[in-house]
Amino acid sequence: MRIEVKDLRFSYGGTKKRKTEKYALDGVSLTIEEGEFFGIIGQTGSGKSTFVQHLNGLIPLKEGMGEIKVGNYDLSDKRVNLKELRSKVGMVFQYPEYQLFAETVEEDVAFGVKNFFPEKSAEEIKDVVKTAIELVGLDYPALKDKSPFELSGGQKRRVAIAGVIASRPEVLVLDEPAAGLDPQGKKDFLELLERLHKDFVRTVVIVSHDMDLVAEYCDGAAVFKDGKIIKRGTTEEVFADRECIFKSGLDLPVVEYLKEKLAEKGEKIACGTKISEFLDAVTQRWGGKT
Amino acid sequence: MRDVSFGQYYPSFSAVHKLNPAIKILLSIAYIVAVFLVQPFYFLGFLACFTYIVLVTAVAKLPFFRVIKSIRAILFFVVLSAVIQVFVNKTGSPLWEGGFIYTGGLISAAYIVLRISMIVLGASLLTLTTSPVELADGIEFLLYPLKLIKFPVHEFALIMSIALRFIPTLLDETDRIIKAQKARGADFESKNLFKRAKAMIPVLIPLLISSFRRADELADAMDSRCYSGSKNRTKYKKLTFGWGDLIAALFTAGLIVGVVFLNGVYGVTV
């Protein structure tokens, strides 16, 4: 599904009009094409989370505050079926393991499916849940009857993600998905996301502070600052705009720094922002010899 | 969830705000005693109480509607007791020939409504002018004599302050969990009361678990700073008694005397 946002404004102050009113989102327009792996970056308080929570109607769109279209769902239409929309746009919050509640892993993962598709039979639900748990790389027979609170941090997070993708969303939005994971856990987790994007969820939107993560996995990115988008493009384009990155209090990914260092020595390396691309380019340049 | 305000503290720099919270609590109790001293049906006593409220509100620089608004919270209760009085109390004479509403019922309904409203107004003056932390300090001070019977007063006060401190944090957390479960299709707006109560389970359990986690973390943080409570612990904000407290006490004593005096002046009889 294509996400199209036009001139979105939002203020936490409610509807009362005040002269000093500050907008958490101040005229945000952004289109995310179907199939993109998209990164949203920006400082804390720049409006990223507020923005993504609009995408499945968790924060309702107020009249005259802009337009949001997600696929065929027009959020400015009062009659839009929010439940259906939320089944299509899965949202994973920061520290999703804190939302686990059921007695067993299986029940917790089934929660969303049961809510969205009450007509499904117990057998069908079981099937869907099994697929989801296996998709996130967990051992279904071993874990299904365990309490989610007995699992390790990384496993809990996977269960939480399984609970979201079980209802087969077409768009997956993740807020700081790698926060609080150790390096190995983070790597595994992001590889899982990449795999999911390849053959399960068409569009993935990530909100993150982690420039390396965005550089490595995202195709496109948008930079938020003070409730506005100040840059939108492919990850390469975004990170090429040094002024914009530093002005918004962000940093460059490691690859960009390496490229810069090499450029200082007179070696121009032309490649994307992914580490693998950089390594390939370097190997090509020096033929694998140092 | 964000606009749920706990308590109703209205910060400002007034003489009333600066009073010793322990004194303020005592004076609020004295005020409530004054309200109860008003005999049926000597309504002038309520007028005295109301005057007291208006004067305190003015000195505290509170917007008057904020004080009055506090009645809204118990409006249902007030109306209910008034209605019961009107229909059940059959003293005095019927309002019209053969009618079921008696003058006695109306007068006692008015008496009860005024009594409850006056108490609520007084109590809300206390919470409007005293921050939750100050209240906890005041209660700790007042409970001090219980130390003699080995009641852990300081710990009790600490529990209160921590509980108050974590209310906004837990509200934020609740907000987040509700959103997360909504994103998984949870329905909190169902008309069916039973369904709505059941929908709270996925919110309450994570909330409970995270409170335990927070409690553990807080205990560790306090331990690591060598907090041991009670003995020889000094306070950052010491409670002091000033002229203001004396004046406030005298003023409230004046109200009690006034109410007792007015009890003998003019009453409505049925």
Side-chain angles (χ1 to χ4, degrees):
Chain A
M1 296 197 293
R2 188 166 186 260
I3 299 169
E4 203 178 342
V5 179
K6 262 192 209 142
D7 199 30
L8 175 63
R9 277 176 304 141
F10 177 78
S11 138
Y12 277 107
T15 43
K16 277 181 207 158
K17 288 224 163 69
R18 268 182 236 120
K19 269 179 201 159
T20 52
E21 191 169 32
K22 199 173 167 286
Y23 285 102
L25 292 176
D26 193 0
V28 170
S29 301
L30 179 64
T31 307
I32 300 173
E33 297 296 337
E34 176 163 320
E36 262 190 291
F37 198 121
F38 195 81
I40 292 180
I41 52 183
Q43 262 181 320
T44 313
S46 56
K48 303 168 295 192
S49 298
T50 312
F51 173 74
V52 292
Q53 284 176 27
H54 274 88
L55 298 182
N56 66 352
L58 281 180
I59 298 180
L61 176 66
K62 292 205 186 78
E63 230 174 293
M65 299 292 257
E67 282 173 46
I68 306 174
K69 275 191 194 120
V70 180
N72 294 322
Y73 299 91
D74 183 352
L75 270 73
S76 38
D77 186 353
K78 285 266 179 295
R79 291 158 302 169
V80 69
N81 186 342
L82 275 182
K83 214 165 187 177
E84 209 177 288
L85 170 72
R86 283 175 191 162
S87 76
K88 297 270 175 22
V89 182
M91 187 149 313
V92 179
F93 283 83
Q94 212 168 347
Y95 296 105
E97 52 272 31
Y98 294 162
Q99 75 203 38
L100 300 175
F101 72 96
E103 279 171 54
T104 67
V105 168
E106 188 167 30
E107 266 178 64
D108 206 287
V109 175
F111 180 68
V113 190
K114 279 185 190 161
N115 284 332
F116 289 130
F117 313 107
E119 71 284 353
K120 270 201 161 88
S121 74
E123 281 305 306
E124 280 176 292
I125 289 177
K126 208 165 189 160
D127 260 6
V128 173
V129 168
K130 184 166 180 268
T131 320
I133 291 181
E134 278 167 357
L135 255 172
V136 297
L138 291 175
D139 185 359
Y140 174 75
L143 289 183
K144 71 181 173 87
D145 294 323
K146 269 201 171 174
S147 157
F149 304 111
E150 289 170 23
L151 307 178
S152 75
Q155 282 176 322
K156 275 188 199 166
R157 192 163 293 191
R158 278 161 194 263
V159 170
I161 304 262
V164 174
I165 62 167
S167 44
R168 290 199 156 262
E170 290 174 38
V171 179
L172 188 62
V173 182
L174 302 107
D175 196 342
E176 286 292 354
L181 291 178
D182 58 59
Q184 187 59 42
K186 184 173 154 185
K187 205 172 153 230
D188 291 347
F189 187 77
L190 289 165
E191 271 161 16
L192 161 71
L193 280 188
E194 211 170 29
R195 217 169 56 237
L196 283 178
H197 176 234
K198 230 174 234 150
D199 25 69
F200 200 76
V201 220
R202 294 279 296 131
T203 315
V204 176
V205 179
I206 281 187
V207 175
S208 185
H209 280 128
D210 188 336
M211 298 304 123
D212 288 315
L213 186 159
V214 173
E216 185 67 26
Y217 296 95
C218 297
D219 315 317
V223 181
F224 273 67
K225 183 176 165 54
D226 300 332
K228 291 191 178 77
I229 291 183
I230 56 169
K231 182 86 187 171
R232 153 76 165 110
T234 64
T235 24
E236 267 168 77
E237 285 164 3
V238 167
F239 287 121
D241 188 346
R242 301 289 147 95
E243 194 198 343
C244 149
I245 291 289
F246 289 118
K247 193 173 73 188
S248 42
L250 300 172
D251 204 351
L252 290 173
V254 169
V255 169
E256 288 298 315
Y257 275 119
L258 289 173
K259 279 203 256 181
E260 210 160 79
K261 278 271 178 253
L262 285 172
E264 274 170 27
K265 302 247 189 249
E267 299 284 354
K268 277 244 183 246
I269 303 281
C271 69
T273 54
K274 291 189 183 14
I275 289 181
S276 55
E277 286 175 20
F278 177 75
L279 288 179
D280 281 350
V282 169
T283 326
Q284 213 171 28
R285 171 72 182 71
W286 282 283
K289 284 165 268 168
T290 40
Chain B
M1 198 54 75
R2 228 163 258 278
D3 35 71
V4 175
S5 64
F6 175 77
Q8 35 175 359
Y9 182 54
Y10 188 90
S12 121
F13 294 99
S14 81
V16 181
H17 284 74
K18 273 190 213 123
L19 290 182
N20 184 320
I23 294 285
K24 259 194 277 189
I25 294 170
L26 285 181
L27 293 184
S28 302
I29 296 172
Y31 167 82
I32 290 169
V33 170
V35 173
F36 274 109
L37 279 175
V38 177
Q39 295 289 321
F41 301 98
Y42 289 81
F43 289 100
L44 278 180
F46 288 130
L47 189 65
C49 293
F50 190 68
T51 316
Y52 179 86
I53 295 282
V54 172
L55 286 175
V56 175
T57 309
V59 176
K61 295 180 195 155
L62 295 173
F64 195 63
F65 77 95
R66 275 291 292 263
V67 185
I68 294 293
K69 232 171 67 180
S70 57
I71 295 184
R72 223 174 43 183
I74 53 137
L75 199 61
F76 173 75
F77 183 61
V78 171
V79 170
L80 185 74
S81 26
V83 168
I84 290 176
Q85 278 301 321
V86 166
F87 285 108
V88 173
N89 193 325
K90 302 281 187 207
T91 51
S93 49
L95 215 52
W96 63 88
E97 203 59 47
F100 55 92
I101 294 176
Y102 287 71
T103 49
L106 284 180
I107 291 173
S108 63
Y111 178 72
I112 282 189
V113 166
L114 281 173
R115 187 183 243 188
I116 301 174
S117 313
M118 286 302 147
I119 291 173
V120 171
L121 287 180
S124 68
L125 269 188
L126 176 67
T127 51
L128 277 166
T129 60
T130 321
S131 74
V133 177
E134 282 177 327
L135 269 183
D137 271 353
I139 292 172
E140 179 180 4
F141 183 84
L142 291 175
L143 291 181
Y144 216 74
L146 288 179
K147 267 216 156 135
L148 288 177
I149 56 164
K150 298 253 166 85
F151 181 81
V153 174
H154 175 78
E155 285 76 3
F156 181 73
L158 183 72
I159 291 171
M160 269 196 308
S161 328
I162 290 176
L164 291 169
R165 153 68 185 79
F166 274 95
I167 286 171
T169 314
L170 288 179
L171 280 179
D172 265 1
E173 182 105 2
T174 314
D175 188 44
R176 238 192 38 185
I177 297 172
I178 285 183
K179 272 185 181 158
Q181 306 300 26
K182 259 190 188 167
R184 288 208 278 164
D187 185 5
F188 297 105
E189 277 110 44
S190 169
K191 291 266 182 334
N192 184 331
L193 206 66
F194 180 71
K195 264 191 192 162
R196 214 157 61 187
K198 217 180 143 199
M200 287 316 283
I201 295 175
V203 177
L204 292 179
I205 291 178
L207 199 60
L208 196 70
I209 288 169
S210 78
S211 328
F212 277 118
R213 201 187 58 242
R214 267 180 220 287
D216 270 343
E217 283 168 6
L218 182 66
D220 285 344
M222 285 164 84
D223 261 348
S224 65
R225 285 191 234 172
C226 302
Y227 178 87
S228 64
S230 50
K231 249 191 195 167
N232 301 329
R233 198 174 166 76
T234 53
K235 277 194 169 298
Y236 173 58
K237 268 190 187 162
K238 267 212 149 88
L239 293 187
T240 51
F241 295 89
W243 286 107
D245 299 304
L246 186 65
I247 294 169
L250 287 175
F251 185 56
T252 312
L255 173 71
I256 294 182
V257 173
V259 165
V260 171
F261 173 71
L262 286 172
N263 272 340
V265 174
Y266 172 73
V268 182
T269 45
V270 283

